[in-house]
């Protein structure tokens, strides 16, 4: 093989390598995107949300969300009320009205974390992205 041919061969090899790596990057970026649009919150976040819910909400809504002094936060009635609307509507309601004894007292991130737990209890899927204003507020609440 002439040295010219060898260097052309090397160039081609590098091109293929970059094409393959580039393709892999696109594929993995694509799957990360799919995961974040299918899932609503992370498993770990919902777990923390359950603790916060027990501290701040469960006395009126029960630990299993079936309701007591306040309405049930899981099931058909809840989804009729909040489904097919931007999730930001539910968040705004919670943030300005709950906990009923001291409305607005919880920081945003705590309320998003609690909302992750509520979504989990309503059968919405976990994913790879945490729920917050950026990832959740504009999403329409449909499974
Ligand atoms: C002291 C009792 C009490 C506590 C504590 C409380 N809630 Fe409520 N909650 C209520 C009552 C009463 C209502 C119904 C009144 C209304 O809809 O304005 C309600 C309504 C709601 C609703 C609307 C339900 C629906 O179907 O329309 C949501 C969502 C909610 N609460 C979330 C929370 C969250 C999250 C917390 C904890 C951060 C919390 N609540 C803590 C009493 C409480």
């Amino acid at each position: 093989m002439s040295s010219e041919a060898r260097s052309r061969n090397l160039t081609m090899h590098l091109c293929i390598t970059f094409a393959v790596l580039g393709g892999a990057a696109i594929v993995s970026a694509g799957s990360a995107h799919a995961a974040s649009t299918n899932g609503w919150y992370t498993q770990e976040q919902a777990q923390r949300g359950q603790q916060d819910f027990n501290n701040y909400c469960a006395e009126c809504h029960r630990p299993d969300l079936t309701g007591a002094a306040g309405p049930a936060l899981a099931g058909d009635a809840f989804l009729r009320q909040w489904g097919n609307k931007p999730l930001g509507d539910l968040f705004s309601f919670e943030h300005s009205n709950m906990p009923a004894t001291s409305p607005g007292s919880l920081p945003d991130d705590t309320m998003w974390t609690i909302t992750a737990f509520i979504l989990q209890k309503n059968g919405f899927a976990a994913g790879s992205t945490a729920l917050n204003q950026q990832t959740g507020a504009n999403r329409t609440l449909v499974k």
Side-chain angles (χ1 to χ4, degrees):
M1 207 188 279
S2 74
S3 79
E4 196 195 327
R6 201 175 297 132
S7 96
R8 201 175 331 121
N9 197 19
L10 180 66
T11 309
M12 225 163 80
H13 181 78
L14 283 175
C15 283
I16 290 167
T17 305
F18 280 121
V20 169
L21 286 177
I26 288 164
V27 168
S28 65
S31 63
H33 183 71
S36 71
T37 49
N38 292 335
W40 290 80
Y41 55 84
T42 64
Q43 206 62 255
E44 178 274 331
Q45 184 184 25
Q47 257 162 33
R48 278 188 290 122
Q50 178 164 25
Q51 286 161 20
D52 290 333
F53 187 90
N54 284 338
N55 290 335
Y56 301 113
C57 321
E59 61 174 292
C60 297
H61 294 282
R62 282 189 195 272
D64 63 359
L65 282 64
T66 51
L73 301 182
D76 292 347
F78 180 79
L79 290 173
R80 265 197 306 279
Q81 175 73 24
W82 301 105
N84 296 309
K85 292 177 187 152
L87 181 57
D89 289 8
L90 171 61
F91 178 83
S92 300
F93 178 89
E94 292 169 340
H95 200 260
S96 35
N97 299 287
M98 295 293 140
T101 36
S102 57
S105 59
L106 295 184
D108 284 18
D109 62 335
T110 306
M111 197 56 97
W112 279 114
T113 297
I114 290 172
T115 304
F117 171 64
I118 295 174
L119 292 191
Q120 183 187 50
K121 286 306 220 184
N122 280 280
F124 289 84
S128 55
T129 311
L131 183 68
N132 57 39
Q133 182 73 27
Q134 288 72 43
T135 62
N138 294 324
R139 280 181 77 179
T140 304
L141 194 58
V142 282
K143 275 179 215 169

